[in-house]
Amino acid sequence: MDKVFKALADQTRRYLLDRLHEHNGQTLGKLCRRLEMTRQSATQHLAVLEAANLVSTVRRGREKLHYLNPVPLNEIQDRWIDKFERPRLRALSLVKRQAEEAMADKPAFVYVIYIESTPEKVWHALTDADLTAEYWGHSNVSDWQVGSPWEHQRTDGTGTADVVGTVVESSPPTRLVTTWSAPDADATAEPSRVTFDIQPHGDIVRLTVTHENLADEAERTAAAGGWAAVLSNLKSLIETGSPLPQQPWLIPR
């Protein structure tokens, strides 16, 4: 087993095994062409692999063919992976699959808007508590570091949060991902997730908002109307210095 681990520790030897896995039974010349190394160097690496029983050779006329022997790799899996990790890995795989299936079954909403601005200004408008209060009617409060909480607080002086969540990704000034849920939501319920992608195109910015894992079509419809109103107000504030003269979310649908 020591010889196996020694053989696998070298990147070139792992590459040789990969090539034999793709196409078993290759000659030294063919392997050398793919490695861009001398025959002498390749021969030395193959000798180490043969000593570890990871490669076996067969003569066919004047040719010497090299074959991958997976038995030592299987022994490593049996000894070092299966008895320790397989139950946990199987459980994690099941959780991942179920979560992805659940996400795929739930509606999502995507909204794209173009703003005459820079990525830095759009990022600032999305994360600054005072600016969000101007165009959203709520202050978005957080330090915007990954793992930190954030709150969508009322501006009536109470500090009451109508939406809470966690910062999942934060890459100023191009990408922000947060979870969204009501403060009194069931702790076991999966929150929705909002992604802000900010892409510059010359003198304008394309802001794409993706709201995923919504509970149902009714929530998706509400999100569609809400995002259209908020982002229109954001665009007006950045481009003109003032939000729209009326709160757009109060206009009857």
Side-chain angles (χ1 to χ4, degrees):
M1 193 63 67
D2 289 341
K3 291 182 179 180
V4 174
F5 281 113
K6 178 183 177 181
L8 294 174
D10 183 86
Q11 181 179 1
T12 300
R13 292 194 283 270
R14 294 196 301 272
Y15 181 82
L16 281 167
L17 294 178
D18 286 337
R19 301 294 72 79
L20 290 175
H21 180 263
E22 290 177 359
H23 183 196
N24 226 355
Q26 296 187 55
T27 63
L28 175 61
K30 188 172 183 179
L31 288 170
C32 285
R33 285 194 296 272
R34 302 192 68 175
L35 283 170
E36 297 184 354
M37 66 168 52
T38 65
R39 294 175 67 90
Q40 181 180 4
S41 296
T43 299
Q44 292 173 349
H45 284 298
L46 287 168
V48 175
L49 291 170
E50 286 189 63
N53 201 28
L54 288 164
V55 168
S56 59
T57 59
V58 175
R59 287 282 182 181
R60 189 180 65 186
R62 300 179 62 181
E63 292 184 326
K64 183 179 181 181
L65 303 180
H66 299 81
Y67 290 87
L68 171 66
N69 178 24
V71 173
L73 298 175
N74 186 65
E75 291 175 351
I76 290 176
Q77 179 171 322
D78 288 342
R79 179 174 178 181
W80 298 103
I81 299 176
D82 283 5
K83 67 180 180 180
F84 296 115
E85 297 294 337
R86 177 162 288 184
R88 185 168 67 177
L89 293 174
R90 187 183 295 116
L92 289 174
S93 177
L94 178 60
V95 170
K96 178 177 182 292
R97 185 172 65 253
Q98 290 178 342
E100 290 174 344
E101 289 173 353
M103 287 286 285
D105 291 338
K106 292 187 176 182
F109 176 76
V110 179
Y111 191 90
V112 179
I113 192 168
Y114 293 86
I115 305 171
E116 185 179 359
S117 184
T118 64
E120 290 77 12
K121 289 181 179 178
V122 173
W123 175 275
H124 183 61
L126 290 171
T127 57
D128 183 81
D130 293 333
L131 282 179
T132 51
E134 284 192 55
Y135 69 85
W136 209 323
H138 282 70
S139 296
N140 289 344
V141 180
S142 177
D143 63 9
W144 306 110
Q145 300 299 309
V146 173
S148 294
W150 80 279
E151 292 189 347
H152 193 56
Q153 295 181 357
R154 298 177 188 175
T155 57
D156 58 5
T158 64
T160 301
D162 289 321
V163 180
V164 296
T166 302
V167 179
V168 179
E169 293 182 41
S170 183
S171 302
T174 59
R175 183 173 170 86
L176 177 66
V177 183
T178 62
T179 61
W180 283 49
S181 62
D184 57 353
D186 185 348
T188 62
E190 183 74 18
S192 64
R193 177 183 174 114
V194 173
T195 300
F196 299 93
D197 284 310
I198 305 167
Q199 295 181 301
H201 294 270
D203 295 329
I204 65 174
V205 165
R206 181 172 66 195
L207 172 60
T208 303
V209 178
T210 305
H211 201 157
E212 303 172 276
N213 202 36
L214 295 164
D216 48 36
E217 284 300 325
E219 190 169 289
R220 182 187 183 280
T221 299
W227 281 117
V230 168
L231 295 176
S232 295
N233 227 16
L234 166 64
K235 176 180 171 69
S236 178
L237 177 64
I238 291 178
E239 293 183 344
T240 71
S242 300
L244 294 169
Q246 300 171 2
Q247 293 178 338
W249 48 84
L250 298 181
I251 298 175
R253 297 177 187 173

